[in-house]
Amino acid sequence: MTPTLLDRYVFGQWLRIFLVTACGFPIVATMIDLTDRLKVLLDRQIPFRDIALGYVYVLPEKVYEVSPAAVLVATVFTVGTLGRNSELTAAKAGGVSFHRLTLPIYLGALLAAGLTLFVEELSPVTSSKKLELHGEKGRVTPQRNNFVFRAEQGWVYTIRHLDTKQQSMREVVLTRQGRGLAYPSLVVSADSAAWDSTGWRLFHGTSRSVASGQVQAAFGFAELRLKALRETPAELLAESKKPEEMRYAELGRYIDMVERSGNDAGRLRVTRALKLAIPATCFIIALFGAPLAMTSYRSGTAVGIGISLATTIVFLLLVQ
């Protein structure tokens, strides 16, 4: 379907308001936050250039958060303006239905959803740079002691000491629960382990095959490679990490690691779901925003602003 002059006109009106809102709100919020935290950042002796650059890096995250509200504001004001200028009446008189007239708005909302998804994938990188520039990125310890890690295929690792810097482990016990003689339980213990480009190497240990509560076979080894042990030192570390510093796929892998370590990942799962839900909201909010504007354009701009703000506040409260 070839876009008509009316389609381009409606889309242009909507796009201008969307861009002003999507860029204006984050800039205003950033300036307020900068004013509030400037003294704290200067007390850390952070150069003003790094402070300013850090707030530039945080803009994609702000745009991602405000995109649904920007779509709603653009939709309400575009339809409201068309109604107040009697352009809706003229379009209907020309045989253009309301649903056909608002089709460019829905197309714009779909584009906004795609843009929001792109910005969401970009914001973890920029947010991490902002934290580094402002000295807020927490120090990640390279070691972990006395923990259990649940791996795939039923394996459970009990590790006395892990050092990701040295890429080594001490006092490692790996167990796999069996189901009888045909699939016996396995217990592999080693004094130490080292990681290289080919995987983990276990040193000075014993491997046992256990079925029906009795050891069926056992042997000692000086060095052993176990195919099931394929997690990297960083994956075994599974330290707490901010979800906003991870992209969707990375966050999914991190959730799996956290759950295999025996920790609760409920909040992380909600955060990952929001990474898709908020972009989808951009289109959904336009579906009810356009008819909503039809009921308010005769009442003036103030009513449109009030409806947009009230709906945005309710949406943000439901997200929380």
Side-chain angles (χ1 to χ4, degrees):
M1 183 176 59
T2 304
T4 64
L5 180 62
L6 181 60
D7 291 332
R8 293 194 293 271
Y9 172 72
V10 173
F11 182 78
Q13 292 282 93
W14 182 91
L15 184 62
R16 280 194 292 270
I17 300 174
F18 172 77
L19 291 177
V20 169
T21 307
C23 298
F25 282 2
I27 291 175
V28 171
T30 299
M31 294 303 296
I32 293 174
D33 186 65
L34 173 61
T35 303
D36 185 53
R37 302 190 67 251
L38 182 59
K39 184 177 184 303
V40 175
L41 295 173
L42 291 175
D43 287 344
R44 295 177 184 170
Q45 298 182 343
I46 299 175
F48 189 79
R49 175 182 175 277
D50 289 347
I51 295 176
L53 187 58
Y55 277 104
V56 171
Y57 280 134
V58 85
L59 286 177
E61 179 183 352
K62 299 294 185 183
V63 171
Y64 162 72
E65 294 172 350
V66 82
S67 289
V71 170
L72 179 61
V73 170
T75 302
V76 169
F77 274 78
T78 300
V79 176
T81 301
L82 292 175
R84 282 191 298 275
N85 295 336
S86 300
E87 291 168 312
L88 285 177
T89 304
K92 290 180 180 180
V96 180
S97 67
F98 175 75
H99 297 293
R100 176 63 183 84
L101 181 67
T102 54
L103 189 60
I105 294 177
Y106 300 143
L107 176 62
L110 280 175
L111 294 176
L115 174 65
T116 304
L117 193 59
F118 170 76
V119 171
E120 184 277 322
E121 286 291 284
L122 179 65
S123 62
V125 179
T126 57
S127 296
S128 179
K129 290 180 180 291
K130 179 254 185 184
L131 293 175
E132 291 177 0
L133 288 172
H134 290 181
E136 297 173 351
K137 196 163 186 177
R139 179 177 177 272
V140 178
T141 174
Q143 299 180 348
R144 191 178 182 190
N145 298 311
N146 301 320
F147 67 96
V148 175
F149 186 95
R150 290 183 176 87
E152 298 176 349
Q153 300 177 353
W155 283 93
V156 177
Y157 311 152
T158 304
I159 302 172
R160 176 72 67 182
H161 178 77
L162 168 69
D163 190 326
T164 58
K165 188 174 182 180
Q166 299 295 327
Q167 296 189 319
S168 64
M169 296 187 292
R170 292 201 311 267
E171 298 184 37
V172 183
V173 179
L174 303 92
T175 59
R176 187 199 69 186
Q177 186 66 36
R179 297 187 294 269
L181 290 174
Y183 190 78
S185 300
L186 296 178
V187 181
V188 180
S189 59
D191 292 339
S192 61
W195 171 269
D196 57 29
S197 59
T198 60
W200 286 102
R201 289 182 296 163
L202 303 174
F203 300 104
H204 308 296
T206 305
S207 177
R208 299 179 179 86
S209 175
V210 182
S212 302
Q214 297 180 349
V215 176
Q216 302 297 318
F219 65 88
F221 59 84
E223 180 178 333
L224 175 70
R225 291 185 183 273
L226 188 64
K227 290 184 178 180
L229 181 57
R230 55 177 178 268
E231 287 78 11
T232 65
E235 290 173 341
L236 290 174
L237 187 64
E239 287 290 338
S240 177
K241 191 175 181 181
K242 293 183 178 181
E244 59 267 23
E245 296 179 31
M246 291 178 279
R247 297 180 177 180
Y248 184 85
E250 182 185 1
L251 182 56
R253 293 193 297 269
Y254 180 69
I255 289 172
D256 292 338
M257 288 186 289
V258 168
E259 289 180 336
R260 290 203 301 267
S261 296
N263 298 316
D264 181 23
R267 288 182 179 272
L268 293 174
R269 286 190 173 276
V270 172
T271 301
R272 186 178 63 166
L274 283 174
K275 289 178 179 290
L276 295 180
I278 290 181
T281 303
C282 291
F283 179 70
I284 296 171
I285 209 166
L287 292 178
F288 72 83
L292 186 68
M294 284 289 293
T295 64
S296 64
Y297 72 84
R298 291 188 180 90
S299 302
T301 305
V303 174
I305 295 175
I307 291 175
S308 300
L309 289 177
T311 307
T312 302
I313 290 171
V314 171
F315 169 73
L316 292 175
L317 286 174
L318 292 175
V319 167
Q320 295 302 320

